[in-house]
Amino acid sequence: MSRLAVIGGSGFATMPGLEVLDHQQPDTPYGPPSAPVIRGLLGGTELWFLPRHGTGHGIPPHRVDYRANLRALKDCGVERVVGLGAVGGIGGAYGPRVLAVPDQIIDYTYGRAQSFYDGDQNEVLHIDFTRPYCEDLRQALLRAARDCELDVEDGGTYGATQGPRLETAAEIRRLERDGCDLVGMTGMPEAALARELGLCYACFAFVVNWAAGKASGEIRMEEIEANVAACGARIERVLATLVRAQCY
Ligand code: HPA
């Protein structure tokens, strides 16, 4: 059985139903992770949990130390990681409250520490990133959603933007021309760093708003919050099912 971790994003600073066993704070060469890593039991199965934005959700996407987070999980012995992410929907099938397991990424972020191989160890690594997500874990997430009889979009391209502001309508039109279906601020460099460490990583995305210009008017925070809340119970069910079926 491989050790599974969930990195919680917006709306998921805690893992509902997790019976906490202990907190671990591995010190990494990059500093501490966003919060202590929680080791617990979800329905009797061991699970690690790390809130990406810190315990009080105070770390914005461009300030998350993605290297420290992934390194800390690796040091806890974790082998598989689900990155939860609230996203905006660009394409038709990806409206608010849709759950999705994307299969591609385009990275529009900048100024983030993108690699563990920054030249300081005199070593260069070029990971293969043709398929940025671990297909085994993607399929396990899709199976878990189907076992719960929940609709989930299989695939889609995640456009990772810098944030913390939301995009302009023109930026979203550009992402759409590029082929993005979803837009979020935390998908990269998380996925690439996981690959560098040999972790099996997949993104479980939930749409909390139409991306800029895709609906009339401005994007309202109350709308995002309501959609986060509306997705919560389904996400919990899928994760609980995934953890139970860990022998995938
Ligand atoms: N853009 C970027 N990130 C997001 C969005 C968005 O519209 N919604 C939730 N995260």
Side-chain angles (χ1 to χ4, degrees):
M1 198 168 74
S2 59
R3 293 180 164 201
L4 179 74
V6 171
I7 300 180
S10 296
F12 279 86
T14 58
M15 180 74 214
L18 189 69
E19 185 192 324
V20 177
L21 294 175
D22 56 40
H23 291 79
Q24 306 179 13
Q25 179 123 2
D27 199 17
T28 79
Y30 316 99
S34 297
V37 180
I38 298 173
R39 186 175 69 95
L41 294 174
L42 191 69
T45 306
E46 213 171 19
L47 178 71
W48 280 255
F49 180 76
L50 175 60
R52 187 187 285 119
H53 300 285
T55 313
H57 203 277
I59 310 173
H62 63 297
R63 306 287 296 189
V64 170
D65 193 332
Y66 296 92
R67 291 197 299 188
N69 285 354
L70 272 300
R71 186 75 249 175
L73 292 177
K74 178 85 178 177
D75 290 349
C76 288
V78 161
E79 294 159 86
R80 297 184 170 228
V81 180
V82 173
L84 268 184
V87 295
I90 299 175
Y94 300 87
R97 306 191 178 189
V98 164
L99 305 182
V101 184
D103 63 353
Q104 279 297 328
I105 304 175
I106 299 180
D107 188 6
Y108 301 91
T109 66
Y110 47 86
R112 302 182 181 188
Q114 298 183 44
S115 175
F116 292 104
Y117 295 82
D118 254 353
D120 35 1
Q121 310 99 316
N122 253 340
E123 211 184 327
V124 177
L125 179 74
H126 299 290
I127 49 165
D128 174 73
F129 210 43
T130 310
R131 291 166 178 251
Y133 298 115
C134 172
E135 192 56 23
D136 264 11
L137 190 52
R138 263 189 20 83
Q139 292 302 330
L141 273 165
L142 293 167
R143 247 189 334 269
R146 289 183 194 126
D147 286 351
C148 297
E149 298 185 351
L150 291 172
D151 289 332
V152 60
E153 286 299 321
D154 175 2
T157 297
Y158 180 124
T161 54
Q162 177 70 356
R165 66 168 176 83
L166 296 168
E167 298 72 33
T168 65
E171 286 170 333
I172 292 299
R173 285 198 298 273
R174 172 188 168 209
L175 264 67
E176 191 172 25
R177 285 195 299 276
D178 286 353
C180 295
D181 302 295
L182 304 165
V183 56
M185 301 175 191
T186 56
M188 283 294 280
E190 198 168 270
L193 292 168
R195 179 66 55 84
E196 282 192 353
L197 290 179
L199 294 165
C200 167
Y201 175 93
C203 170
F204 190 21
F206 54 105
V207 182
V208 296
N209 58 282
W210 281 114
K214 289 285 151 190
S216 56
E218 295 176 2
I219 299 168
R220 292 179 307 110
M221 282 310 123
E222 310 85 73
E223 170 202 343
I224 291 187
E225 280 158 21
N227 288 330
V228 168
C231 291
R234 281 177 295 149
I235 292 168
E236 284 165 43
R237 278 173 61 199
V238 174
L239 291 177
T241 306
L242 175 77
V243 171
R244 234 190 352 263
Q246 254 206 66
C247 39
Y248 47 77

